[in-house]
Amino acid sequence: MAEENISRNFIENIIDQDLAEGKYTKIVTRFPPEPNGYLHIGHAKSILLNYGLAVEYGGQFNLRFDDTNPTKEKEEFVESIVKDVEWLGADFRGQIFYASNYFDQMYEAAIKLINKGKAYVDDLSAEEIREYRGTLTEPGKESPYRNRSVEENLKLFQDMKDGLYPDGSKVLRAKIDMASPNINMRDPVIYRIARMTHHNTGDKWLIYPMYDFAHPIEDAIEGVTHSICTLEFEDHRPLYNWVVEELEYEKPPKQIEFSKLYLTNVVTGKRYIKKLVEDGVVDGWDDPRLVSLAALRRRGFTPESIKTFMELAGVSKSQSSCDYAMLEYCIREDLKPKAPRYMGVLHPLKLVIDNYPEGQTEYFDIENNTDVEDGGSRKVSFSRELYIEKEDFMEEPPRKYFRLFPGNEVRLKGTYFVKCTGFEKDENGEITVVHGTYDPETRSGSGFEGRKVKGTIHWVNANDCIDAEVRLYENLIDEEKGKLNEDGSLNFNPNSLEVVEAKLEAASAELKQGDHVQFIRNGYFVVDTKDTSDDHKVFNRVVGLKSSYKPN
């Protein structure tokens, strides 16, 4: 019997070869966020990719904060990132690593480079360093301080550490090649003076390492074997390799780049989101119209749906965009077998069944989920006064409208046939009540085989339904006009949020924060985890029932 042909992505092929050649015996990967904002859907790809590889090869996955820039870092972001990684199910064994825990080793690494003649203290200003660096077509020129002696550099660097110089007055630069075709290799800055209080190390340090210097050292210290990052770091790989080679790590990590995840017509830029939050356009970083992981979680997306989405998106080196509809498809498929199906009326219109006995209540067995075998059923109460959707009644219907209108008969889901006999209007001409009669012979499950009806509508019992706030979300961006206006501002969809006061089946009262439900014909919903209280339930629509995405 032939072995099953399993497609491998290019990263797995590299790891397979490294293991076969004996370069590594245990695979170690990491997710290294900077704690300067909330994670978004693109970060989920990196988390799940790195964690998935560690699991696949029986290795280790590290969560490490690249906290080398105290000006933008907050404990709030650390906490939110930890929560996101845990939510996605990436097990970091309860152990969190911090780049700042390695500051002593990074300082010693810088001393080693100075002693090797591979680093020097430069007095040029940031603007002068930029001027000396050259362009993509012209080589850079060497700093006049480039050939200081090892002894002078050691003393100056020590003095930088001891706070003898003001911020920005000196930097430590790697001594590589000012004529390199790769600008990143033209003596990059690896340390700068910065009097900043760090969230982890306090005021211990007056100098801080630059990301491109710190990152390979962190990887090497932790024994990371494959440092997997996005394509914008491809031009930085020669510098990454230079650092680990010059520092003579025994088993240096290998950097591999993959393409970022791009979603059509969504806002992921921190600068844009920060402005949306500050301007009150959205309800914080976790507003369900955003695609931060906190927002997706609050919107009702599940970790399983995110994982499926990432599997469909795949791993490659070529940049491409995914349709948001594909993400919606994934959550819809995940919730189909999980979410109970209740009746909820989002735009209520009262229906009075005039020939049903006043004061009488009946109970009907209605399936919890028709997509699940042995999904069970629940008792749903029925009485004379009900609520139906406004759109399920029309005074003057168009052709092929099979719901309620004067003289027409429909089935109320799971119960009886009801015929519309009339309606009431208010002083503004708005229909406020629909009247009808029911046929007791047509009870569901009774085996009635008389006349047929073409329409079935859902309903809730006015006597025991619950009131709830329901939030109906659409894309924050106007999909037809595109993401940006000509002036660079975001092109908002004015209908991205509609808030309605709904009437929901009594069973909905038992749903807790974070619980999912399908309200028949209206979509999948989740109980909001932020604004729901004991006496005020809030539901967010996760996704509608209809999909524009067709899987291959």
Side-chain angles (χ1 to χ4, degrees), residues 81-97:
I81 289 168
V82 170
K83 187 174 182 180
D84 289 341
V85 174
E86 289 177 333
W87 176 65
L88 284 173
D91 181 12
F92 50 88
R93 309 168 312 286
Q95 184 176 8
I96 299 174
F97 296 85

Side-chain angles (χ1 to χ4, degrees), residues 428-484:
N428 299 317
E430 291 285 323
I431 295 167
T432 55
V433 181
V434 174
H435 288 271
T437 58
Y438 86 114
D439 182 348
E441 300 295 321
T442 60
R443 181 183 173 102
S444 286
S446 65
F448 175 74
E449 295 182 357
R451 62 195 179 281
K452 304 290 184 185
V453 290
K454 291 185 176 180
T456 297
I457 64 174
H458 64 279
W459 52 276
V460 295
N461 186 349
N463 289 342
D464 65 5
C465 63
I466 70 163
D467 295 320
E469 177 182 326
V470 173
R471 297 169 180 174
L472 306 174
Y473 294 102
E474 292 183 13
N475 200 325
L476 188 62
I477 301 299
D478 189 322
E479 295 181 49
E480 291 186 5
K481 295 180 181 176
K483 190 171 182 177
L484 297 175

Side-chain angles (χ1 to χ4, degrees), residues 52-253:
L53 290 168
V55 171
E56 179 183 350
Y57 290 96
Q60 179 178 311
F61 168 76
N62 290 354
L63 171 60
R64 180 217 305 144
F65 287 97
D66 254 318
D67 54 349
T68 58
N69 185 7
T71 53
K72 297 180 179 179
E73 295 161 1
K74 292 182 184 177
E75 196 62 35
E76 170 195 352
F77 298 138
V78 171
E79 292 170 2
S80 73
I81 289 168
V82 170
K83 187 174 182 180
D84 289 341
V85 174
E86 289 177 333
W87 176 65
L88 284 173
D91 181 12
F92 50 88
R93 309 168 312 286
Q95 184 176 8
I96 299 174
F97 296 85
Y98 292 91
S100 53
N101 288 345
Y102 313 135
F103 280 170
D104 287 301
Q105 287 136 296
M106 292 175 192
Y107 178 75
E108 292 302 322
I111 296 291
K112 182 171 185 174
L113 291 181
I114 293 173
N115 278 318
K116 291 179 71 173
K118 297 290 185 176
Y120 63 95
V121 174
D122 195 358
D123 293 6
L124 293 179
S125 68
E127 186 177 334
E128 288 171 327
I129 289 174
R130 274 194 296 273
E131 289 174 7
Y132 275 55
R133 187 169 285 142
T135 66
L136 292 172
T137 55
E138 297 175 354
K141 61 180 180 177
E142 295 183 356
S143 165
Y145 307 100
R146 192 174 196 263
N147 295 313
R148 280 173 162 158
S149 69
V150 169
E151 291 72 25
E152 186 181 3
N153 282 319
L154 287 172
K155 183 178 187 313
L156 289 172
F157 190 49
Q158 178 70 43
D159 291 346
M160 287 169 61
K161 176 178 177 287
D162 291 342
L164 300 189
Y165 306 113
D167 290 8
S169 61
K170 295 183 190 300
V171 294
L172 183 70
R173 296 178 68 178
K175 192 174 187 179
I176 308 178
D177 180 6
M178 289 305 294
S180 171
N182 185 335
I183 289 180
N184 294 299
M185 300 297 280
R186 295 179 188 174
D187 291 10
V189 174
I190 58 176
Y191 258 97
R192 81 277 198 200
I193 304 170
R195 287 167 171 78
M196 299 181 287
T197 299
H198 191 282
H199 76 97
N200 189 25
T201 59
D203 295 320
K204 176 182 176 181
W205 292 93
L206 301 178
I207 55 173
Y208 288 96
M210 302 299 286
Y211 178 88
D212 276 349
F213 178 64
H215 195 87
I217 295 173
E218 297 156 33
D219 285 344
I221 290 171
E222 291 175 15
V224 168
T225 55
H226 298 84
S227 183
I228 299 163
C229 55
T230 46
L231 278 175
E232 71 264 33
F233 291 100
E234 189 169 26
D235 289 342
H236 297 245
R237 192 190 332 140
L239 177 54
Y240 183 102
N241 293 338
W242 183 89
V243 170
V244 294
E245 286 166 12
E246 291 296 339
L247 293 175
E248 302 169 41
Y249 288 108
E250 188 177 337
K251 288 193 174 181

Side-chain angles (χ1 to χ4, degrees), residues 317-369:
K317 270 195 172 282
S318 58
Q319 297 284 25
S320 60
S321 292
C322 293
D323 194 332
Y324 188 81
M326 187 166 92
L327 180 60
E328 291 184 317
Y329 165 82
C330 294
I331 183 62
R332 199 179 283 114
E333 289 300 300
D334 185 52
L335 292 181
K336 262 183 193 176
K338 294 179 180 177
R341 297 183 182 179
Y342 292 173
M343 292 189 285
V345 175
L346 304 190
H347 302 89
L349 174 62
K350 183 163 276 191
L351 169 64
V352 178
I353 305 173
D354 294 311
N355 65 333
Y356 193 86
E358 288 196 46
Q360 177 173 303
T361 299
E362 281 184 90
Y363 290 88
F364 290 82
D365 289 318
I366 294 185
E367 312 97 323
N368 290 325
N369 190 333

Side-chain angles (χ1 to χ4, degrees), residues 11-12 15 27 29 48-58 228:
I11 298 176
E12 290 170 318
I15 295 175
I27 300 303
T29 62
L48 293 172
L49 173 59
N50 279 285
Y51 177 64
L53 290 168
V55 171
E56 179 183 350
Y57 290 96
I228 299 163

Side-chain angles (χ1 to χ4, degrees), residues 385-398:
E385 295 192 1
L386 312 170
Y387 287 105
I388 62 171
E389 294 282 359
K390 281 184 179 177
E391 66 176 24
D392 285 343
F393 172 80
M394 293 188 75
E395 182 181 0
E396 297 177 2

